[in-house]
Amino acid sequence: MTETELNEKMKRIRLVILDVDGVLSDGAICIGNEGECFKRFHVRDGLGIKMLQKAGIPIAIITGRSSKIVEERARELGIELLFQNERFKVPAYEAGRLGSGGARERL
């Protein structure tokens, strides 16, 4: 694929959907003595998300777990489409897709 073809393909993207564990975090889930959960996020992922948003591409997070940490990270990054406790991700994907105005190849 040429750079021109890639750029044309990228222009059709209307929404980026991400998972958390192993995608936005390193996949480790650390649980403290009091049951608190810790996740590590990389600053470069945040930068990439902000660059996509600046280009007018919204971001959605769909995760099978529920966590205040993810809620806070989404808030920090300005991600409004947050679906937690979605063990079966297709229904959440379909809901996010409705807001994108696009077909699967645009997501």
Side-chain angles (χ1 to χ4, degrees):
M1 178 179 301
T2 68
E3 185 175 341
T4 302
E5 290 170 328
L6 179 61
N7 286 335
E8 285 303 311
K9 196 172 218 178
M10 290 173 52
K11 286 179 187 177
R12 295 191 305 258
I13 296 173
R14 297 290 176 257
L15 176 67
V16 172
I17 302 172
L18 303 168
D19 189 13
V20 175
D21 296 329
V23 177
L24 290 177
S25 74
D26 63 5
I29 299 170
C30 303
I31 301 173
N33 289 333
E34 304 298 319
E36 67 276 22
C37 184
F38 303 93
K39 295 180 190 248
R40 289 175 21 134
F41 298 99
H42 201 291
V43 69
R44 283 186 227 144
D45 293 333
L47 175 62
I49 287 168
K50 293 311 255 178
M51 291 170 72
L52 286 166
Q53 290 169 327
K54 187 175 181 180
I57 300 170
I59 308 295
I61 293 175
I62 304 175
T63 181
R65 299 177 177 268
S66 182
S67 138
K68 291 280 186 195
I69 298 165
V70 172
E71 201 172 299
E72 176 61 20
R73 185 65 172 154
R75 188 195 62 73
E76 286 176 354
L77 295 172
I79 298 171
E80 296 177 8
L81 297 170
L82 174 60
F83 301 90
Q84 296 198 76
N85 277 327
E86 296 290 345
R87 185 169 169 237
F88 301 102
K89 297 180 181 183
V90 173
Y93 159 78
E94 294 294 337
R97 182 176 166 205
L98 293 174
S100 74
R104 289 179 187 257
E105 64 270 6
R106 292 185 179 178
L107 305 178

